[in-house]
Every structure is written in structure tokens, then in C-alpha cells.
Amino acid sequence: MNEKQNINKDTFSTKNYVEEISNYLENYQNSKIDNFLNNTHNADIADVIQNLDPVLRLSLINIIGNKFDPEILTYLNDSLREEIVETLDIKQLANNAKELDIDDAVDLVEDLEKEDQDTFLENLEEKERTLIEEGLNYPEDSAGRLMQRQFIALDQFWNVGQAIDFLRNNKKNLPEDFYDIYLINPKKQVFGVVPLGRLMGSKRDVSLNKIKNKELRLIEVNMDQEEVAYLFSKYGLVSAPVIDNNKIIGSITVDDVVEVIEEEREEDILKLGGVGHTDIYNSVIDTTKSRLSWLIVNLMTAIVASIVIGLFEAAIEKVVALAILMPIVASMGANAGTQTLTVAVRALAVKELTPSNALKIITKETFIGGINGIIFAIIISLLSIYWFQDFMLGLIIGSAMVLNLIIAGFAGTIIPLALDKMKIDPALASAVILTTITDVFGFLSFLGLATLFLI
Amino acid sequence: MNEKQNINKDTFSTKNYVEEISNYLENYQNSKIDNFLNNTHNADIADVIQNLDPVLRLSLINIIGNKFDPEILTYLNDSLREEIVETLDIKQLANNAKELDIDDAVDLVEDLEKEDQDTFLENLEEKERTLIEEGLNYPEDSAGRLMQRQFIALDQFWNVGQAIDFLRNNKKNLPEDFYDIYLINPKKQVFGVVPLGRLMGSKRDVSLNKIKNKELRLIEVNMDQEEVAYLFSKYGLVSAPVIDNNKIIGSITVDDVVEVIEEEREEDILKLGGVGHTDIYNSVIDTTKSRLSWLIVNLMTAIVASIVIGLFEAAIEKVVALAILMPIVASMGANAGTQTLTVAVRALAVKELTPSNALKIITKETFIGGINGIIFAIIISLLSIYWFQDFMLGLIIGSAMVLNLIIAGFAGTIIPLALDKMKIDPALASAVILTTITDVFGFLSFLGLATLFLI
């Protein structure tokens, strides 16, 4: 019976919770709210806060008051987090931060305003403050920011019994979560990783060295978090030691990495869509601002395309069908190019597309562009001939289609590769460059061929 | 010194390895290849196989021969995996599958052709075969397919000492990786989860019930893998019990979930780009086919847009500037709409956009569309007046711009919401519907206003 309740709690339905809590708040049923707060995971409390109406949100935060657990903030959306931090007493928040993991605390403090940062840090215990300040000294998005400072590192020459006794005798100082034991020498160099499960299943007199993992994956403290995520996901790691100057200084666990993967996923999708770091909780002003830059770029590229059309004013004046048909060539180019581009950007991200096979893929995509070009050239030629009763016009739009789809296939691979080579994120700028090329080339080839052969 | 080598191995550079192995293969240095195979993680071997030239790839696989570890296949890209399986001896492969985790084996078998599936299963030990067949009976992309069948479930009333003794006495039967112990009753109902680290740090006489996690998250065997990933990432889980009819039947660990998250990320990006399930290893024919359907849809929408333009043939004949400027209105609409759409699709995926705040977000996005519309209306009006020396034309394109960007903001949120409501994946079809609307409406408003007020 008990399970059933638990399952319902698992597949936590934000919508139901939000309605329930809204009800309590509107009817001042504070005891029921207290009950909810005490029995709910901070991730779910954050979920409810995010989905409440702004007025009710504020009253919920007031009810939580002094007991506000800073861990809730780590689950909130960036923009909403900022908004809520402004309503909180930072000093009190620091007092509540005792149970916060150092990596979560670093994540929280880095986003605070300078003044709030100082207040927060001043009100922590010295040991915690030092660790957080150290964390903040590592570059943004580096392993140093992700890592926990608590880990279990034991003498590499110990045996299982010694390890188990050590753990039992140091109960108070164990990290909250740990899955592996690291084997070190007196210089703090790491020589191996022993999963806890294997430690538990071994006899007391077995040497730790005998049961360590075959492979050792070390994370340099300055490694980019995306690279860290790549290693964890590729090798199925659960935790890995972080080293600086060959000495162990921390540990990264897979739950932090899952967050990174989610973040990076979000970033990729938003970048491909031409929007910066943004979410639905941003204010109207912030959102408008964040979208403006790509719209300006798009306006400029659209004007370039218009200038190209303008070059062929005379032709359009004579044959108005050109104006009617020209968007088709450009649109098909943009679409085919975007398909190629998407595959290439993804393949670059997962390291399938590399310098060693780049030429092959470019050739292949250009070739595919040609095949698709021929298929759609035949369709659009026949349609145009039927529509405008003009055989030559059909031939011209068909040729332009083939040319533009070849260009689309070529540009769709070469652009992300070139950007990647120039250390520019291909997800960010590829799409706008591509559509400029396919638009301009689409109009140019269609109207150009028409001027040469039709008029 | 030792560490440095390890680090180099960590940040495994596929390119260097591929060159090295290509060299060995070309010079028949089989002992060096054997050495590489014996000392390299299967994930890296898969990487090298993926990046080798097809001819060398085949000779590497021939050299591996009978020793081919089926785990390598689980790291390979889908299309390449199929290709390689065709060259392997399935019977031999099954013989090598003893150390393969059941969940990996299920993943492998589900993609084999019927005949190969049978051969593979027939050549396994009966116990393994039964477990794999059971796994295959669960729906695709469900928790049942992801789960491992080995897990540690102990009597909920045991204490730490009993648990540790049990683990030590059952050394041979422990799962390869486990991070939590599940507490059950004789009916196999789960009552709690005890992390190994906490078990190790507790005294022998402490009851397991005292040190179990505050929250219990159970996974129903039919739960969709995306939902499983959502729970793991939200609550930072490392493993979770899988239940069927309230009884524990398996366990899902975070490494499987990381794979799911990566997969889903890939799918979202590919869908938004209008390409189906595809990768750079697909053949030219397969790739062309996979892209054709969206290109056909795009052709149809482009033709619709052309028909709209065709309605205003007379206006364009009189004022050719209309043909020159009209793509700008359409393009800005598509771009602004795609921005909104991207944010909405992402927000739906992470459950930030819900029925409870949908109306608010639609209003906000439409409003932002209006603001951006006014900004770009002013710019494009002034430009057009300067370019064509026609005040009225400037006024018309400005008005069309405002209207189209309002429509873009509205459509960019309402389309994914509507698709989601209809249980259609918003990432899949939103973009093409959106651009059809912004194109058609862009041409319609601009050319329509021009016909009314200019001609």
C-alpha cells in the first residue's frame, strides 16, 4: 500500500501540486503549507515556486521566511532565482547553508551580485568560506567549479579491512555521497579507483590494489565541463578524482555531470534557434533585448538578399512570374541546408565529425544535395511549366534548384566545420550564415539564369 | 610520472589513435594492434572503428575476429553497428557475450534482424537468454528495457552488520556495479534505499531502516525512459528500484540514464532541424530518403506562399519594389517566430511551460512580437523610403512588419502547445507549420496592404 503513495509522489505532478498550494495560500492554511514544505523534496518545492502565480509565489516565500533552504535556489531557473534572492535575507540564507554541498554553494554564490556575495560569504563558517572562495577561483564552466571538496582517498597499499575500518571510524567526516574510493600515495598522486560495491564484496585481507578499476580516468581541474561530461558519459563513470599539479584536490560525481549535460543540451537547442541564454521567466524587456541581436543580423542578411533581387528589377518587371517563383528556390535551399547543418553540428558535438573524415562527409553531403536537387528540380519544373505555360521558365527554375541544393549541402557542412576550426561554437552562428548563402545564391541563380536565357 | 600517461589516455584523442592504428594496419603490424586492443577501453575501440577508413575498418574487424567483444557494438553508432554485425559471426558473438550486462544485451539484440536475434539468443546460456527475452517483452524506450536484473535487495529489518556479512558471503553473485541497497519485505515490496557510502560509515548494530534515504523514488517498469531520465536528473539519483505490480524486479543506474539523456538531446536537435533519425554514417541513399519527406513538406508550403504572391501579380507588375522587399517581411517573421518557438519547445520539454502558465506566456510572447515589430518597422520603413523614395511604401512595409511579428510571437507559442496537447512531439512539426504561417502571412499583409493603399 505504502508503495502506491510513493509512486504518486515519484511521478510528481507539478500541476496538481500548484493548484493545491495555491488553494492553501489563498485560504491562509499555513499549517497545510508547513506540512507540504516539511515533506517535500527541495526540487519539488522549487518546481512549485516556479509555477505559482507571482503574487502567491511571494506569499509562499514569505511563509517559508527564515527557514528558506538555499538548496531550493539551486533547483530554480536562473532568472527566477535572481528575482527571489532579492526578496531574501542573505545573512539568514548563509546561516541556513550549513548542509549545502560546496559545489552547490559555489554554483549559488557565482550568480549572486557582488554585494550579496560578500554578505553571504561573511556569514559562513570560515572552513566553508575558504572552500567556496577557492572554488570561485577556478574558471567558469571548469571541473574546479563542479567538483566536491570532500572525497575518500586512502593509501594505495592498504587492504580491504583497513579501508572498511577507516570508513567506520571516520563516520562523521564522510562525504554525504560517495561511490568510489581513490587510492593515493603520500604525495597525493592518484593510482586507482575502487568502487564501493567491489570493496564490500571483497575479503578483509585483499589488497585494494588488486580490486581497483582496470582504467583510471583523472580530471584536470581546468578541464572544461563539457569535456568532463563527455568522459563521464563515454566511460559510464559514477565519480572521478580531480587533480591539480598531479595531486588530488576533489571529486566529481555523476549527478553534477547530469546537470551539465542538461545545461549543454539546452544551450545547443537555444543557440540553434537563434536565442541567447533565456527562459520563459525572463521579463519582457530582458527577453526582447536578448532576441534583438539575432533579429538585427537577420534583417541585414534579408536586406542583402533584397539587394540581390534589386539587381534584377528589369527582369522581374518583364516577367512577374519570377517574383512569384523565386521564394521557392531560396526556401528549398534554406531547408535542405538546415538539415545538413543540423546533422553536422550534432556530429561535431559528439565528435563523430572529425578532421579525419571531414572531406568525405562534405563530398557526401554535396552529392546528396545534388540528388535532392535533381528530384525537386523535376517536380518544380513541371509545376512551373504547367502554371505559367512557359517551358524555358521551367528549365531555368529547375537548374537554379539543382545549383542551390548543391550549394546548400556544401555550405551546410563546411560552415560548421570552419566555425569549429576558428573556435566559434558552430551551433551559434551556422544557421544565419547558411540561410544568407542559400537565399542570396537562390535568388542570384534563378534571376541570373532568367536574365541570361529568358529575357 | 605514471599519472601523466593516464591523463593522456583520459583525454583520449581519437584522431591520433586513428592515425596510429591506420599505420599499423597498412603495415600489417598485428602485434601492435593486439596490444592496442588489449589495453584500450571498448568505448575507445568503438571510436577508432567509427573513424577508420572503411577498408581499414574491415581489416581491423577481421584481425579482432573471434575475440570481438559484443560490448564494442553497444558503443557504436546505429547505422555502423548494423553494417558491422553483418560481417560478424553471430554465434561466436553470443559466445563472447557472457560478461555483457543484461540491459546492454537487450539494447544490442533489439536492433538485430529477426534471424540474427534467434541465432544470438540460441547460443546464450539459458539463464541469460530468459532475462534478455523478458527484457525484450517490455515496450521500447521503457524502464523495463533500461533496467539491470541484478540488484541487492535485503530484508528491511536487518542491521548494518547483517548487510555487510551478506555482501561478503555472496561475493560471486554481486552485480558488477551497485551503489545502493534496496530494503524489501518478503513480498518483495520496496521500503527504502540505503546508499553504500552510508552503510560503510555506520556501526554494525544500526538498523538499515534508520539510515535509509528520506525519500523513496520507485520506477514503474512501463515508465517511459524520458520520464525516468527526468526523475534521475531532478532528484540527483544514482540508482533506483524498478517495480512491477509493486514488486521489485530490477534496478536502473545513472549510467544508463546518461545515455538516455544524450539520446533524447540528439533527437530533439535533429527533429528541430527537420531531419529524422540519422547520422553521418548512413549511406547516401538512406540519408537522401530520410530528408526527402521534410523537403516535400517544405516544397508544398513554399508553393502555398507562391500562390499567395501570385494573387498580387498585378500589384507587383506595377511596383516592382514590392517583389524586392517582400522577402524581408517573411524572413523576419520566420526568424522571430523560430526564436519564440525554440524557447517554447524547450520549456515544454523541461516542464516549465504548463497548462497553468500557458496563457500568460502566449500573451507575453505576442507582446514581445509587437515590441520587436515596432522596432524593426521603424528601421525598415526608413530604409525603404530612402531606397525607393516612396513614403507610402515605407508605411506599408512597416505595418506589415508589425503585424507579421505579432503573428510570429503568437504562433511560436500556440503551435507547440497545440501539438503537445494533441500528443504530437512539438520538436518535430512546429518549425514547418510556423514558417508556413509567417511566410504566407508576411506576403499577404505586405502585398495586401500595398494593393489597398499603393495602387
Side-chain angles (χ1 to χ4, degrees):
Chain A
M1 308 299 100
N2 214 346
E3 277 78 7
K4 205 61 205 167
Q5 287 173 352
N6 282 315
I7 294 165
N8 289 337
K9 207 171 163 186
D10 272 344
T11 51
F12 174 89
S13 158
T14 306
K15 200 190 162 195
N16 292 343
Y17 267 68
V18 169
E19 277 174 14
E20 210 182 307
I21 304 300
S22 298
N23 239 319
Y24 296 158
L25 287 167
E26 278 159 0
N27 299 307
Y28 305 101
Q29 296 178 291
N30 286 9
S31 68
K32 288 204 172 159
I33 291 172
D34 277 343
N35 190 32
F36 161 77
L37 292 171
N38 291 332
N39 293 303
T40 310
H41 193 286
N42 280 335
D44 291 326
I45 297 179
D47 244 14
V48 169
I49 291 178
Q50 278 187 180
N51 285 283
L52 276 177
D53 182 271
V55 178
L56 294 178
R57 185 185 294 155
L58 207 61
S59 53
L60 178 61
I61 289 166
N62 282 334
I63 290 174
I64 304 178
N66 283 341
K67 285 178 291 180
F68 198 96
D69 185 341
E71 201 197 33
I72 296 175
L73 293 174
T74 66
Y75 293 110
L76 284 177
N77 226 289
D78 285 354
S79 54
L80 202 63
R81 190 202 281 194
E82 265 179 51
E83 204 184 304
I84 288 173
V85 166
E86 279 172 26
T87 71
L88 295 174
D89 177 356
I90 302 291
K91 210 173 141 179
Q92 185 64 51
L93 198 65
N95 287 334
N96 296 352
K98 285 199 184 60
E99 295 202 4
L100 201 60
D101 285 341
I102 296 298
D103 55 331
D104 285 340
V106 169
D107 191 34
L108 183 66
V109 173
E110 69 184 354
D111 288 341
L112 292 180
E113 304 202 350
K114 187 74 191 75
E115 202 181 317
D116 288 344
Q117 275 192 357
D118 294 340
T119 317
F120 190 87
L121 289 170
E122 276 164 24
N123 284 283
L124 291 175
E125 282 175 29
E126 201 190 323
K127 196 184 139 202
E128 277 175 341
R129 181 170 59 242
T130 316
L131 288 178
I132 294 173
E133 280 170 347
E134 277 177 31
L136 289 170
N137 281 332
Y138 294 110
E140 219 178 315
D141 296 339
S142 71
R145 291 268 177 118
L146 274 186
M147 70 182 176
Q148 298 179 21
R149 302 302 297 263
Q150 285 189 297
F151 51 87
I152 305 290
L154 305 179
D155 190 317
Q156 57 169 333
F157 297 119
W158 278 14
N159 64 25
V160 171
Q162 283 171 302
I164 290 179
D165 292 343
F166 174 89
L167 293 175
R168 202 160 303 140
N169 296 331
N170 288 276
K171 200 185 148 182
K172 293 243 164 92
N173 297 315
L174 296 187
E176 210 190 335
D177 302 303
F178 69 106
Y179 316 104
D180 294 309
I181 283 173
Y182 305 135
L183 306 186
I184 57 168
N185 70 3
K187 283 185 183 165
K188 297 198 172 176
Q189 294 176 304
V190 186
F191 288 92
V193 173
V194 176
L196 272 190
R198 207 174 302 148
L199 183 76
M200 304 288 299
S202 303
K203 295 231 157 67
R204 283 186 66 90
D205 57 0
V206 173
S207 152
L208 293 179
N209 247 314
K210 281 262 167 68
I211 54 169
K212 72 183 181 191
N213 283 342
K214 220 174 79 184
E215 279 112 3
L216 174 61
R217 315 269 162 209
L218 301 173
I219 311 279
E220 282 274 14
V221 70
N222 287 318
M223 188 185 277
D224 188 88
Q225 62 175 13
E226 210 167 339
E227 186 68 24
V228 175
Y230 175 75
L231 287 177
F232 267 74
S233 111
K234 181 169 179 181
Y235 299 111
L237 305 178
V238 172
S239 75
V242 179
I243 57 163
D244 188 11
N245 273 323
N246 278 343
K247 286 192 178 70
I248 184 167
I249 57 165
S251 167
I252 292 181
T253 49
V254 66
D255 51 317
D256 303 316
V257 173
V258 168
E259 244 172 76
V260 170
I261 296 176
E262 297 270 14
E263 254 175 54
E264 302 280 345
R265 166 192 189 163
E266 187 166 314
E267 261 182 46
D268 276 359
I269 291 178
L270 291 177
K271 275 185 208 151
L272 280 170
V275 273
H277 186 71
T278 173
D279 57 60
I280 59 169
Y281 305 104
N282 274 108
S283 70
V284 170
I285 302 287
D286 286 348
T287 309
T288 310
K289 269 197 227 156
S290 77
R291 306 219 180 138
L292 223 49
S293 49
W294 277 120
L295 287 174
I296 291 171
V297 173
N298 188 64
L299 180 67
M300 291 192 295
T301 71
I303 289 172
V304 172
S306 290
I307 291 173
V308 171
I309 301 172
L311 298 176
F312 301 99
E313 208 178 324
I316 297 172
E317 249 173 353
K318 279 191 198 138
V319 187
V320 75
L322 295 178
I324 297 172
L325 291 175
M326 66 184 184
I328 296 178
V329 180
S331 161
M332 289 299 284
N335 206 289
T338 304
Q339 291 181 331
T340 306
L341 184 80
T342 307
V343 174
V345 167
R346 193 208 61 86
L348 273 170
V350 299
K351 305 194 186 180
E352 284 176 11
L353 180 53
T354 58
S356 62
N357 62 4
L359 194 64
K360 208 172 74 189
I361 304 295
I362 295 172
T363 316
K364 181 176 139 189
E365 287 294 340
T366 311
F367 188 66
I368 292 172
I371 300 179
N372 275 329
I374 291 169
I375 296 172
F376 287 100
I378 295 170
I379 302 174
I380 196 65
S381 291
L382 293 176
L383 265 175
S384 303
I385 294 170
Y386 173 78
W387 191 352
F388 295 100
Q389 300 290 319
D390 185 334
F391 181 76
M392 198 61 195
L393 183 67
L395 219 61
I396 286 168
I397 194 169
S399 314
M401 184 72 87
V402 176
L403 290 175
N404 205 26
L405 261 58
I406 289 175
I407 290 287
F410 179 72
T413 32
I414 202 94
I415 293 170
L417 275 164
L419 289 173
D420 192 55
K421 188 121 196 171
M422 291 185 280
K423 308 272 176 214
I424 301 170
D425 184 346
L428 188 63
S430 292
V432 66
I433 302 178
L434 175 86
T435 49
T436 308
I437 290 176
T438 50
D439 274 3
V440 166
F441 194 82
F443 293 137
L444 197 65
S445 57
F446 179 51
L447 298 177
L449 287 172
T451 307
L452 283 178
F453 296 107
L454 201 63
I455 295 157
Chain B
M1 307 299 98
N2 215 345
E3 275 80 5
K4 206 58 206 171
Q5 287 175 350
N6 281 314
I7 294 165
N8 288 337
K9 204 169 165 186
D10 272 343
T11 52
F12 174 89
S13 158
T14 306
K15 201 193 160 193
N16 293 341
Y17 268 70
V18 169
E19 278 175 13
E20 211 181 305
I21 304 300
S22 299
N23 240 319
Y24 296 159
L25 288 168
E26 279 159 1
N27 299 306
Y28 305 102
Q29 296 179 290
N30 286 11
S31 68
K32 288 203 171 161
I33 291 172
D34 277 344
N35 190 30
F36 161 78
L37 292 170
N38 291 331
N39 293 300
T40 309
H41 193 287
N42 280 334
D44 291 325
I45 297 179
D47 245 14
V48 169
I49 290 178
Q50 276 186 185
N51 285 282
L52 276 178
D53 182 270
V55 179
L56 294 178
R57 186 186 292 153
L58 206 62
S59 51
L60 178 60
I61 289 165
N62 283 335
I63 290 176
I64 304 177
N66 282 342
K67 284 178 292 180
F68 199 97
D69 185 340
E71 201 199 31
I72 296 175
L73 293 173
T74 65
Y75 293 109
L76 283 178
N77 226 290
D78 287 353
S79 53
L80 202 62
R81 190 200 281 193
E82 267 178 50
E83 204 184 303
I84 288 174
V85 165
E86 280 172 25
T87 71
L88 293 174
D89 177 357
I90 302 291
K91 208 172 144 183
Q92 185 64 50
L93 200 65
N95 287 335
N96 296 353
K98 287 201 180 59
E99 295 203 1
L100 202 60
D101 286 341
I102 297 297
D103 55 332
D104 285 339
V106 170
D107 192 32
L108 183 66
V109 174
E110 70 185 354
D111 288 340
L112 291 181
E113 303 200 353
K114 186 76 192 77
E115 200 182 318
D116 288 344
Q117 277 191 357
D118 295 341
T119 317
F120 190 87
L121 289 170
E122 277 164 22
N123 285 283
L124 290 176
E125 283 173 29
E126 199 189 325
K127 196 182 141 205
E128 277 176 342
R129 181 171 58 242
T130 316
L131 289 178
I132 295 173
E133 280 170 346
E134 276 177 34
L136 288 171
N137 280 334
Y138 295 109
E140 217 176 320
D141 296 340
S142 71
R145 291 268 180 118
L146 275 186
M147 70 182 176
Q148 297 177 22
R149 304 301 296 265
Q150 286 190 297
F151 51 87
I152 306 290
L154 304 179
D155 190 316
Q156 57 169 335
F157 298 118
W158 278 14
N159 64 25
V160 170
Q162 285 171 299
I164 290 179
D165 291 343
F166 174 88
L167 293 176
R168 202 157 308 140
N169 296 332
N170 288 276
K171 203 186 145 179
K172 291 245 164 92
N173 297 316
L174 296 187
E176 208 189 339
D177 301 303
F178 68 106
Y179 316 104
D180 294 310
I181 282 172
Y182 306 134
L183 305 185
I184 57 168
N185 69 4
K187 284 186 183 164
K188 296 199 173 176
Q189 294 177 304
V190 186
F191 288 92
V193 173
V194 176
L196 272 190
R198 206 176 301 149
L199 183 77
M200 303 287 299
S202 303
K203 293 230 158 67
R204 282 186 68 90
D205 56 0
V206 174
S207 150
L208 292 178
N209 246 314
K210 279 263 166 71
I211 56 169
K212 72 180 181 193
N213 283 341
K214 221 175 77 185
E215 279 113 3
L216 174 61
R217 314 269 162 208
L218 300 173
I219 310 280
E220 281 274 12
V221 70
N222 287 318
M223 188 184 279
D224 187 86
Q225 61 174 13
E226 210 167 341
E227 187 68 23
V228 175
Y230 176 74
L231 288 177
F232 267 74
S233 112
K234 181 168 179 182
Y235 299 111
L237 305 178
V238 172
S239 76
V242 179
I243 58 164
D244 187 13
N245 273 323
N246 279 344
K247 286 192 178 71
I248 183 165
I249 57 164
S251 166
I252 291 181
T253 49
V254 66
D255 51 316
D256 303 315
V257 173
V258 168
E259 244 171 76
V260 171
I261 296 177
E262 297 270 13
E263 253 175 53
E264 302 281 345
R265 166 193 189 164
E266 188 165 312
E267 261 183 45
D268 277 358
I269 291 178
L270 291 178
K271 275 185 207 153
L272 280 170
V275 271
H277 187 72
T278 172
D279 57 59
I280 58 168
Y281 305 104
N282 275 108
S283 70
V284 169
I285 303 287
D286 286 349
T287 310
T288 310
K289 269 197 227 156
S290 76
R291 306 219 179 137
L292 223 49
S293 49
W294 277 120
L295 287 175
I296 291 171
V297 174
N298 188 63
L299 180 66
M300 290 192 295
T301 70
I303 289 171
V304 172
S306 290
I307 292 173
V308 172
I309 301 173
L311 299 177
F312 302 98
E313 208 177 326
I316 296 172
E317 248 173 354
K318 276 187 199 145
V319 188
V320 75
L322 296 178
I324 297 171
L325 291 174
M326 67 186 185
I328 297 179
V329 180
S331 160
M332 289 299 284
N335 206 288
T338 304
Q339 292 182 331
T340 305
L341 183 82
T342 307
V343 174
V345 168
R346 192 206 62 87
L348 273 170
V350 299
K351 306 193 186 180
E352 283 176 12
L353 180 54
T354 59
S356 62
N357 62 4
L359 193 65
K360 209 173 73 187
I361 303 294
I362 295 172
T363 316
K364 183 176 135 188
E365 286 293 340
T366 311
F367 188 66
I368 292 173
I371 300 178
N372 275 328
I374 292 170
I375 295 172
F376 287 100
I378 294 170
I379 301 175
I380 197 64
S381 291
L382 293 176
L383 264 174
S384 304
I385 293 170
Y386 172 78
W387 190 351
F388 295 99
Q389 299 291 321
D390 186 335
F391 182 76
M392 199 59 194
L393 183 68
L395 219 60
I396 287 168
I397 193 170
S399 313
M401 183 72 87
V402 177
L403 290 175
N404 204 26
L405 262 59
I406 288 175
I407 290 289
F410 179 73
T413 32
I414 203 94
I415 293 170
L417 275 164
L419 289 174
D420 191 55
K421 187 122 197 168
M422 290 185 280
K423 308 272 178 214
I424 300 171
D425 184 344
L428 190 62
S430 292
V432 67
I433 302 178
L434 174 86
T435 51
T436 308
I437 291 176
T438 51
D439 274 3
V440 166
F441 194 82
F443 292 135
L444 197 66
S445 59
F446 179 51
L447 298 176
L449 287 173
T451 306
L452 285 179
F453 296 107
L454 201 65
I455 294 158

